[in-house]
């Protein structure tokens, strides 16, 4: 489960940033996870509590914003929704889909005390 390592990194980054700002406690962390990122949001959520024990993020709320996958066809230029299994354009059936959004994995904001 690579989500455990990802969650540890999220907690480490947030804690380092909080410490640099002189913060004593983080109350919430908002992250974005794209549907095409290969990261399972529920697994990150499950690992978050264990990864925050003994850190400035202990008892913090994790807020996950899911970003839908979207792609643009190189041939017809139209955008459409994508999932991990979409390879052909639903409009022209070309295999020239390029991802526009959905691969995100980033920390958006933190609330602190």
């Amino acid at each position: 489960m690579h989500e455990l390592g990802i969650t540890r990194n999220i907690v480490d980054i947030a804690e380092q940033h909080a410490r640099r700002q002189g913060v004593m406690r983080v109350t919430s962390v908002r992250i974005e996870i794209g549907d095409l990122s290969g990261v399972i949001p529920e697994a990150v959520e499950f690992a978050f509590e264990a990864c925050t024990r003994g850190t400035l993020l202990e008892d913090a709320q994790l807020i996950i914003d899911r970003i839908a996958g979207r792609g643009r066809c190189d041939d017809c230029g139209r955008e459409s929704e994508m999932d991990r299994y979409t390879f052909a354009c639903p409009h022209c059936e070309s295999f020239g889909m390029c991802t526009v959004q959905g691969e995100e994995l980033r920390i958006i904001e933190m609330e602190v005390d």
Side-chain angles (χ1 to χ4, degrees):
M1 174 163 92
H2 73 286
E3 283 82 357
L4 180 60
I6 289 168
T7 306
R8 282 187 185 143
N9 286 335
I10 289 168
V11 171
D12 288 346
I13 291 166
E15 186 172 40
Q16 288 172 17
H17 185 72
R19 286 189 189 283
R20 280 196 304 267
Q21 301 301 317
V23 170
M24 301 309 295
R25 184 170 171 268
V26 176
T27 58
S28 71
V29 177
R30 179 179 298 273
I31 63 173
E32 286 182 339
I33 299 177
D35 288 344
L36 304 175
S37 68
V39 177
I40 301 168
E42 295 80 11
V44 172
E45 193 170 29
F46 179 78
F48 188 75
E49 184 180 344
C51 291
T52 58
R53 282 191 202 120
T55 72
L56 297 179
L57 284 83
E58 190 164 4
D59 297 322
Q61 177 186 16
L62 177 65
I63 303 162
I64 300 175
D65 295 334
R66 294 180 78 149
I67 307 299
R70 290 200 59 78
R72 179 179 303 113
C73 178
D74 284 339
D75 291 334
C76 73
R78 294 175 75 180
E79 280 193 25
S80 59
E81 289 186 22
M82 285 181 71
D83 59 28
R84 286 182 264 166
Y85 311 106
T86 300
F87 298 102
C89 174
H91 305 287
C92 72
E93 298 182 5
S94 166
F95 287 100
M97 294 292 288
C98 293
T99 303
V100 173
Q101 75 175 29
E103 295 178 329
E104 296 85 355
L105 176 58
R106 59 183 160 226
I107 299 171
I108 300 300
E109 64 184 6
M110 298 186 313
E111 288 187 16
V112 299
D113 273 345

